[in-house]
């Protein structure tokens, strides 16, 4: 103490300096904590928005009730986790209520895939299905999904993806056929069969889709062959042969 007085530093000033340094350290630690919380909340928010966007993009795709309930439950769990991390998060109570309502509203799944408006909608549906397959496959849900259940969901999603691909290409092939563009129609059917072989899961359902496309291609080839024969018999050159 005597030494401090000799140095000309009053004890009160020294105490204030120590207190200031302590408070600065506390504030720094608190700010670091807030930054960590904000980052964690942001990551959860991104996950929620991803799942909600997938639901929007796949409105016309029939997903099983079990899968939809699992995903809706995960959205709810993410909001509840945000509330634990950030009790004053704006609107969190309303979001939790909305997630609970959506979860309780899930019922039996309608069958099949609905109309696909255009290629842009088709690509959007494929991206949503591919992202959902990743989420299920790599365990990106907040609530863990047992390995056997993940396998069931992956097979289901693979079949739905194959069904979306099949519906789009079959409809496009038929449209080109009706317009007399058999080359484009055959190309769409051939592309579909290649995609089903390469990306579709090896299930009876996907094999049925493949056989349907193969049968349609066979009918188209026979139809085109009849047109060629009729033209040749009429003595006029066929454009595809010229």
């Amino acid at each position: 103490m005597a030494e401090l007085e000799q140095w000309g530093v009053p004890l009160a000033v020294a105490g204030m300096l120590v207190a200031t340094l302590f408070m600065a350290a506390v504030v720094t630690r608190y700010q670091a904590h807030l930054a960590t919380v904000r980052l964690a909340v942001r990551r959860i928010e991104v996950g929620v928005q991803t799942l909600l966007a997938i639901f929007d993009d796949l409105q016309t795709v029939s997903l099983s009730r079990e899968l939809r309930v699992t995903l809706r439950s995960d959205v709810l769990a993410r909001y509840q986790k945000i509330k634990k991390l950030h009790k004053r998060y704006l609107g969190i109570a309303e979001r939790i209520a909305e997630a609970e309502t959506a979860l309780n509203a899930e019922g039996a799944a309608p069958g099949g895939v609905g109309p696909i408006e255009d290629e842009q909608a088709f690509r959007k549906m494929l991206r949503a299905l591919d992202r959902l397959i990743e989420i299920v496959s790599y365990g990106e849900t907040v609530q863990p999904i047992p390995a056997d259940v993940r396998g069931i969901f992956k097979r289901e999603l693979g079949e739905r993806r194959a069904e979306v691909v099949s519906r789009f290409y079959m409809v496009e092939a038929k449209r080109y056929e009706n317009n007399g563009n058999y080359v484009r129609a055959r190309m769409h059917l051939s592309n579909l069969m290649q995609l089903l072989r390469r990306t579709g899961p090896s299930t009876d359902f996907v094999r049925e889709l493949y056989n349907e496309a193969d049968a349609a291609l066979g009918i188209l080839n026979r139809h085109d062959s009849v047109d060629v024969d009729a033209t040749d018999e009429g003595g006029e050159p066929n454009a595809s042969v010229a």
Side-chain angles (χ1 to χ4, degrees), residues 51-175:
L51 288 174
L52 294 180
I54 287 173
F55 275 117
D56 286 341
D57 293 340
L58 299 181
Q59 288 183 40
T60 60
V61 178
S62 177
L63 301 178
S64 68
R65 182 179 184 277
E66 291 77 14
L67 177 55
R68 285 182 283 114
V69 165
T70 297
L71 298 175
R72 292 290 186 188
S73 297
D74 203 69
V75 171
L76 176 59
R78 289 172 188 267
Y79 280 139
Q80 291 171 336
K81 190 171 183 179
I82 288 177
K83 185 178 180 181
K84 288 181 180 179
L85 290 170
H86 191 345
K87 297 184 184 301
R88 296 183 179 179
Y89 184 91
L90 184 63
I92 189 60
E94 291 78 8
R95 296 192 185 190
I96 289 175
E98 290 172 359
E100 289 175 339
T101 299
L103 172 60
N104 294 330
E106 290 294 351
V113 173
I116 303 175
E117 296 180 0
D118 51 30
E119 185 170 356
Q120 183 178 359
F122 167 65
R123 299 297 175 189
K124 183 182 293 185
M125 292 166 72
L126 285 191
R127 286 194 296 270
L129 283 166
D130 287 342
R131 183 68 185 100
L132 189 50
I133 290 172
E134 288 180 355
I135 291 172
V136 171
S137 300
Y138 298 109
E140 296 181 22
T141 53
V142 170
Q143 297 178 319
I145 303 175
D148 57 336
V149 178
R150 283 206 312 272
I152 294 172
F153 287 162
K154 284 172 62 178
R155 183 171 63 250
E156 175 190 343
L157 290 169
E159 289 185 344
R160 293 294 76 73
R161 190 184 192 282
E163 189 175 8
V164 168
V165 169
S166 180
R167 182 174 183 86
F168 176 76
Y169 279 101
M170 289 290 286
V171 170
E172 286 295 292
K174 191 64 177 178
R175 181 171 66 85

